[in-house]
Amino acid sequence: MKYQSINLFDGITTEDCDRMLTCFGAYERRFSGGEVICDFEEPSGSIGVIQSGRAELIRIDAFGSRTILEELEPGSLFGMAFTFSDVCRDSMNVVCTADCVVLYIDYWHVTHECSNLCAHHSVLLQNLLRLMAEKAFSMSQRIEVLSRRSIRDKLMCYFSICSLRAEKPEFTLPFSISALADYICSDRSAMMREMKNMREERLIETNGRRVRLLSVQEA
Amino acid sequence: MKYQSINLFDGITTEDCDRMLTCFGAYERRFSGGEVICDFEEPSGSIGVIQSGRAELIRIDAFGSRTILEELEPGSLFGMAFTFSDVCRDSMNVVCTADCVVLYIDYWHVTHECSNLCAHHSVLLQNLLRLMAEKAFSMSQRIEVLSRRSIRDKLMCYFSICSLRAEKPEFTLPFSISALADYICSDRSAMMREMKNMREERLIETNGRRVRLLSVQEA
DNA sequence: CAGATTGTGTTGCAAAGGCAACAAGATTTG
DNA sequence: CAAATCTTGTTGCCTTTGCAACACAATCTG
């Protein structure tokens, strides 16, 4: 099962698309690396779609511990119900890591037939449904990784997912080794120690962000 | 922000609903406690909707360690892209915990206008969108909890969510204390030890599944 | 290019958590 | 009702992990 990423506007012509976006009151914004795209300070009724570039959903807790809650790639959604709204009073941000174009769409407009009867409203809805399914999929993966009890198991689970996605046992991490520690919610030095052990036990080979799974699990 | 759960068929009359379901090839099945509703053995193109009862999404890894990946309540969705499909070769099941009625809908039919032009297709799509958003929301919560580094923090985060949902500092856990350990992916005895400490430090009070948060966080 | 920042790699130490094992109350089931 | 099962509760021991602190390469920035 492989998911090729789709864009929200696949199957809609540029003219129709422009017309709908005007009708929806949608708008685009550009961000450059390091900028905070969204800080969830006030509730918003709009969905953000990463059109291009990269961003991360970051949580910083009261003690300054930083966690990457999510990697956002082109096609990724954020905002609204997609993000857990700060129950624990930590600061949450979507931070741009590589120059981004973000499209904002009002949620209400998407779910209600508009008076102009936009021709491709239903196509948009279908695309949105599919993007959300992809998002649900990636969150399930994250839960899968985080549900492991040890750093080693978390790494092995995450690497398995990466290698499955790459369709080979060798792949490149989508972020730095340090960020990987944030992703698996473990201490960086503890993780590096464990990776060293795993290299010595010949479970993996690493070279920078390049990782190769050696023990292709037999089961 | 409070979410009242919706049903997939809200806003659709019973007759229209029946007609659509026939048209979609949807069907209902009943399960009783302990039965395995879905084992993800073969890929399926359908969405499962819990209509009534309760179920859990369970993973059992190669060493027999059991994890509740998700609590499924009426309105919850499972199957397809909603569940991470077994990358790590562990066994995954949806298990019925209280007598369930489950509705299966073919995914393809939902996303494509049918030839019969079912009147309320778009309403169904909107409802599905909303259910998926709710699911995304609950998965975000789960990630929020699991991303905490210590058992104490995981518990506090989870209890905060529960108390927010209950709109008061006292609430009843939706599952047994033992199952809570599975939910937060920690050792049961370690969790009990930590809960004991937390009781002694007067962070919480517990009585069976009844929990009261004492330190209503000041920030 | 110099200084600042970020990423990588390492270590000692203390604390937290996992594991195993046991005991006893509660609930279910034949 | 008695046996079996599930849930709660506890403890000791040992491993894993987090934390603090350091060193050094790579990259960014004015």
Side-chain angles (χ1 to χ4, degrees), chain A residues 143, chain B residues 68-70 138-146 183:
Chain A
I143 290 175
Chain B
I68 300 178
L69 291 178
E70 214 170 321
S138 87
M139 286 203 285
S140 306
Q141 286 187 169
R142 185 77 195 283
I143 290 174
E144 189 75 14
V145 171
L146 291 182
Y183 183 86

Side-chain angles (χ1 to χ4, degrees), chain B residues 84-131:
Chain B
F84 183 44
S85 56
D86 203 9
V87 153
C88 303
R89 314 256 177 128
D90 299 335
S91 140
M92 304 235 297
N93 294 303
V94 175
V95 179
C96 177
T97 50
D99 297 12
C100 285
V101 177
V102 178
L103 179 78
Y104 293 92
I105 302 176
D106 187 68
Y107 189 71
W108 194 89
H109 282 293
V110 175
T111 52
H112 292 77
E113 283 296 339
C114 66
S115 47
N116 303 2
L117 294 168
C118 292
H120 296 295
H121 197 134
S122 71
V123 178
L124 184 97
L125 209 46
Q126 284 171 25
N127 287 343
L128 182 61
L129 209 53
R130 190 151 154 218
L131 284 172

Side-chain angles (χ1 to χ4, degrees), chain A residues 54 159 170-180 195 205-212:
Chain A
R54 276 192 94 79
F159 291 162
E170 194 173 356
F171 50 88
T172 304
L173 295 175
F175 31 50
S176 70
I177 309 276
S178 309
L180 178 57
M195 281 178 75
E205 275 172 0
T206 69
N207 176 19
R209 295 189 189 177
R210 198 101 193 123
V211 177
R212 171 184 281 277

